[in-house]
Amino acid sequence: KHVWICSFMLVGALNDGASVGEVESKHTEQLRALVDELCAAGEAALGVKLDDGAFQRLTAYGRAVAHYPTAVKEFEWRNGWFYDISKQALDSGKPDPMPLHTAGLTKLDL
C-alpha cells in the first residue's frame, strides 16, 4: 500500500494532477519504472522479498479507485520514507537507489 500511494500520487502530480485511473492507463510505463524502484529499495531497506506480480496488484487496485484524485501529501510518512533512503545512500557516497523518485520530487519542488 505504501508503494501504491507513493507511486500513483507522484506520477499523477507529475502529469498535471492526473486521476489514479489516468495514471494507470495513460502513464503506465512511467508508473512501472517508479514502482520497480520503490519496491526494490523497500525490499532492500526492510530485508524482505515481495511476491512476484506487485505491479499487477497495484494497478488492479488503481483501477478499482480510478476516480480518485492525485497529489503528494503527508510527505514525511509517505514519499519522505523513500527519499530518506536515497539521501542516506547519497550522503554515504553511494548512487541513488531511486533516481526517478528523487527527480520527480525535485521537479515538484518537494
Side-chain angles (χ1 to χ4, degrees):
K1 185 173 180 178
H2 194 155
V3 170
W4 183 87
I5 195 83
C6 292
S7 60
F8 271 81
M9 297 301 120
L10 183 57
V11 172
L14 289 169
N15 289 284
D16 300 318
S19 70
V20 167
E22 291 168 333
V23 168
E24 188 272 332
S25 65
K26 296 180 181 177
H27 306 287
T28 309
E29 292 310 310
Q30 183 183 17
L31 178 64
R32 181 184 299 274
L34 186 58
V35 166
D36 288 348
E37 271 191 1
L38 298 181
C39 284
E43 286 175 330
L46 298 173
V48 299
K49 176 71 176 121
L50 297 175
D51 292 338
D52 291 341
F55 182 76
Q56 291 77 12
R57 290 188 301 277
L58 294 174
T59 54
Y61 180 68
R63 287 188 298 276
V65 294
H67 61 285
Y68 283 15
T70 60
V72 178
K73 298 179 181 178
E74 299 177 355
F75 180 82
E76 183 179 346
W77 300 281
R78 292 181 181 174
N79 294 77
W81 186 81
F82 288 107
Y83 180 71
D84 286 345
I85 294 169
S86 291
K87 187 170 178 343
Q88 289 171 9
L90 293 169
D91 288 350
S92 66
K94 297 176 184 171
D96 186 346
M98 294 169 283
L100 296 173
H101 182 254
T102 301
L105 296 176
T106 301
K107 184 174 181 180
L108 295 174
D109 200 25
L110 295 172

